């Protein structure tokens, strides 16, 4: 049995004070969750979130990191810096990074390997564009992105990676993949992992769905056998909504 994992991706939202207020509301509300709970927040909010989440079941995540150990990369943060700041999860290769910041499958792989090497759990995002789905390329895209991202990791390392299947057309649009579409494509991702790294690895990897997941659709999505959790954008910014998603089984 894979333990579900629900992660909030706050994107470029919240000041440290707003972050602390949100996490303080979440702490008592999600303390009995039957899943891992993560908030991936702007780096300027790390210490405020860590302080507000102290002693709770809420874990701190980042939204991106550089793959180099250190050096002349103005504006970037290394895995060691994240780790030293209490970060235990990091989103890698979000479609917004791919679309707006030149992220490629190659750099997704470098970042994933650097995160694992630093002991941070990567949440690796894969997903097709609208026209790719309409042209019938969804499976080919997610298989390729998944295999490229995980290349060079050992089987044991891959077991601890989290994958987020985020169809790009469903992000921030209010459009969700149907429960069946999400389950089917996540099954395709799991099969690709099985073909490359074996069934034991594929059975262990947790694969989330992301894209307009909210209190109204979480139950249906989470009742699908392949879906192990969610990566939540808009609905992670308000305590009642994120709580309702995290406590999906109540
Ligand atoms: P929304 O939940 O706002 O669609 O965002 C999804 C997402 O991109 C999470 O990483």
């Amino acid at each position: 049995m894979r333990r579900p994992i629900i992660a909030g991706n706050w994107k470029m939202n919240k000041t440290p004070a707003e972050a602390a207020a949100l996490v303080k509301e979440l702490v008592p509300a999600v303390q009995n969750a039957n899943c891992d709970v993560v908030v991936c927040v702007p780096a300027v909010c790390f210490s405020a979130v860590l302080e507000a989440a102290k002693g709770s079941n809420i874990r701190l995540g980042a939204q991106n990191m550089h793959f180099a150990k250190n050096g002349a990369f103005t504006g970037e943060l290394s895995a060691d810096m994240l780790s030293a700041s209490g970060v235990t999860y990091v989103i890698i290769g979000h479609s917004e990074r791919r679309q707006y910041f030149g992220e490629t499958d190659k750099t997704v792989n470098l970042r994933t390997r650097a995160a694992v090497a630093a002991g941070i759990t990567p949440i690796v995002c894969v997903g097709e564009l609208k026209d790719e789905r309409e042209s019938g390329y969804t499976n080919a895209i997610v298989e390729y992105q998944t295999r490229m991202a995980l290349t060079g990791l050992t089987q044991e390392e891959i077991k601890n990676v989290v994958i987020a299947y985020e169809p790009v057309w469903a992000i921030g649009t209010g459009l969700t993949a149907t429960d069946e579409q999400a389950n089917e494509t996540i099954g395709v991702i799991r099969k690709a992992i099985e073909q490359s790294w074996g069934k034991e690895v594929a059975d262990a990897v947790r694969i989330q769905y992301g894209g307009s997941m909210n209190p109204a659709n979480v139950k249906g999505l989470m009742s699908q056998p392949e879906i192990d959790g969610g990566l939540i954008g808009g609905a992670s910014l308000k305590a009642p909504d994120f709580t309702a998603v995290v406590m999906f089984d109540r």
Side-chain angles (χ1 to χ4, degrees):
M1 271 304 279
R2 295 180 293 268
R3 183 171 165 80
I5 173 167
I6 304 281
N9 173 11
W10 292 2
K11 309 191 181 185
M12 197 172 70
N13 293 289
K14 307 286 182 192
T15 63
E18 291 165 348
L22 172 53
V23 172
K24 275 186 194 140
E25 256 190 274
L26 289 174
V27 166
V30 305
Q31 62 178 343
N32 295 318
N34 288 324
C35 61
D36 291 344
V37 184
V38 183
V39 287
C40 300
V41 310
V44 293
C45 299
F46 287 166
S47 66
V49 168
L50 213 54
E51 178 65 27
K54 200 178 264 173
S56 79
N57 57 335
I58 300 175
R59 297 287 165 268
L60 176 63
Q63 299 174 10
N64 180 40
M65 50 161 262
H66 201 271
F67 43 81
K69 267 295 224 200
N70 51 46
F73 299 101
T74 301
E76 291 294 306
L77 300 172
S78 73
D80 289 345
M81 291 172 188
L82 298 187
S83 175
S85 307
V87 167
T88 50
Y89 291 84
V90 59
I91 298 172
I92 304 282
H94 190 279
S95 64
E96 287 150 18
R97 303 289 323 169
R98 294 180 192 253
Q99 278 180 280
Y100 308 136
F101 302 100
E103 186 85 74
T104 65
D105 289 307
K106 177 69 188 167
T107 56
V108 167
N109 177 243
L110 292 173
R111 285 183 224 283
T112 302
R113 290 159 69 164
V116 169
I120 301 174
T121 301
I123 300 176
V124 179
C125 300
V126 301
E128 82 286 1
L129 304 171
K130 188 165 182 279
D131 59 342
E132 291 168 339
R133 176 165 281 272
E134 286 166 0
S135 312
Y137 290 133
T138 298
N139 294 0
I141 296 280
V142 298
E143 286 166 356
Y144 180 76
Q145 289 179 338
T146 302
R147 288 203 175 99
M148 278 291 287
L150 302 178
T151 294
L153 297 179
T154 67
Q155 288 170 308
E156 284 313 304
E157 287 170 340
I158 293 172
K159 283 183 190 173
N160 294 315
V161 168
V162 176
I163 311 270
Y165 167 55
E166 299 208 310
V168 180
W169 48 271
I171 295 177
T173 56
L175 295 173
T176 336
T178 64
D179 301 347
E180 292 75 21
Q181 275 174 331
N183 189 63
E184 185 190 338
T185 306
I186 289 177
V188 167
I189 293 168
R190 199 179 301 287
K191 200 81 200 162
I193 296 172
E194 181 180 334
Q195 283 162 354
S196 294
W197 292 283
K199 183 160 168 51
E200 198 188 312
V201 176
D203 284 344
V205 172
R206 295 184 293 178
I207 309 179
Q208 302 172 312
Y209 168 77
S212 302
M213 198 159 164
N214 59 42
N217 60 27
V218 62
K219 259 207 165 85
L221 288 160
M222 288 304 296
S223 64
Q224 296 289 327
E226 295 288 358
I227 303 180
D228 302 319
L231 186 55
I232 320 301
S236 72
L237 296 174
K238 291 192 183 130
D241 288 356
F242 191 58
T243 299
V245 174
V246 168
M247 307 299 279
F248 64 90
D249 55 350
R250 307 302 158 96

